[in-house]
Amino acid sequence: MVSAARSAGLDGAEGISIPPQASPDEAWTLAMEGTGVGNERMSQCVADHFGLDVADTANVSSGAARLIPGSVLEKLGVVPLRCTDTELVVATADPSDTGDANRELSNLSGRKVVFEVASPASVRESRLQHAPPTAPSRRVLVVDDDRSTRVLLRKVLETVGFEVEEAE
């Protein structure tokens, strides 16, 4: 956030200090308070800095919203915007750290992932507004006498939204 504000030449950007452990929400708030700009202008600065587009979180395709489980979207801090047969476009408030999200979303959707920038509040609001209808619970019982196999399966299944019970 600091480098985006500085590269945009925003007044007050030199005085911004964001702790390394700050969440995207905290980083955006500190950057906006330090520069006196709002979400829209900060989104444009961050998008320009990372060479990305600004996300239109008001226009979410229902097809894109159904591709990824809500629990995964929340964990990754993204919202799906639109998709084609080969591409999934998602909004993020933290384009500096998209590696894990890119891999997970690509694996789940089978598509190339393209990131766009939106404020944390816009991402959160859009995710809540456009979340797919609550699906029936996806529960699975993992049965194996090898503990490491059960643990591995649990991790994989929970990543894609399953509730997992184990039995030996």
Side-chain angles (χ1 to χ4, degrees), residues 5-7 9-10 23 27 34 53 56 62 72 87 116 123 136 140 143:
R6 288 179 181 160
S7 68
L10 296 178
S23 70
D53 291 331
D56 179 2
S62 60
V72 173
E87 189 174 85
E116 294 184 354
V123 169
V140 64
V143 181

Side-chain angles (χ1 to χ4, degrees), residues 128-140:
L128 291 172
Q129 189 174 34
H130 299 287
T134 304
S137 177
R138 298 184 341 161
R139 295 179 6 184
V140 64

Side-chain angles (χ1 to χ4, degrees), residues 75-122:
K75 176 182 82 169
L76 299 174
V78 300
V79 64
L81 301 173
R82 57 192 176 280
C83 64
T84 66
D85 290 342
T86 59
E87 189 174 85
L88 172 64
V89 180
V90 298
T92 181
D94 187 8
S96 67
D97 185 23
T98 58
D100 290 341
N102 189 11
R103 279 187 294 281
E104 189 163 352
L105 294 170
S106 180
N107 287 338
L108 288 171
S109 70
R111 293 164 169 82
K112 174 186 172 209
V113 179
V114 176
F115 290 91
E116 294 184 354
V117 176
S119 70
S122 294

Side-chain angles (χ1 to χ4, degrees), residues 20-166:
Q21 73 279 8
S23 70
D25 269 323
E26 294 166 329
W28 278 74
T29 299
L30 290 169
M32 289 188 309
E33 287 173 354
T35 59
V37 301
N39 276 324
E40 200 170 303
R41 176 74 172 114
M42 188 57 69
S43 295
Q44 187 64 59
C45 293
V46 173
D48 290 346
H49 181 74
F50 287 95
L52 301 173
D53 291 331
V54 174
D56 179 2
T57 57
N59 292 313
V60 173
S61 130
S62 60
R66 286 191 293 264
L67 280 175
I68 310 294
S71 59
V72 173
L73 298 173
E74 189 170 339
K75 176 182 82 169
L76 299 174
V78 300
V79 64
L81 301 173
R82 57 192 176 280
C83 64
T84 66
D85 290 342
T86 59
E87 189 174 85
L88 172 64
V89 180
V90 298
T92 181
D94 187 8
S96 67
D97 185 23
T98 58
D100 290 341
N102 189 11
R103 279 187 294 281
E104 189 163 352
L105 294 170
S106 180
N107 287 338
L108 288 171
S109 70
R111 293 164 169 82
K112 174 186 172 209
V113 179
V114 176
F115 290 91
E116 294 184 354
V117 176
S119 70
S122 294
V123 169
R124 190 173 38 258
E125 181 181 311
S126 183
R127 194 171 51 243
L128 291 172
Q129 189 174 34
H130 299 287
T134 304
S137 177
R138 298 184 341 161
R139 295 179 6 184
V140 64
L141 174 64
V142 173
V143 181
D144 199 295
D145 57 354
D146 180 35
R147 184 180 186 287
S148 61
T149 300
R150 290 193 317 271
V151 169
L152 174 65
L153 287 170
R154 170 184 282 280
K155 287 181 181 180
V156 169
L157 291 167
E158 285 178 340
T159 299
V160 294
F162 282 90
E163 288 180 47
V164 179
E165 294 292 326
E166 291 182 34

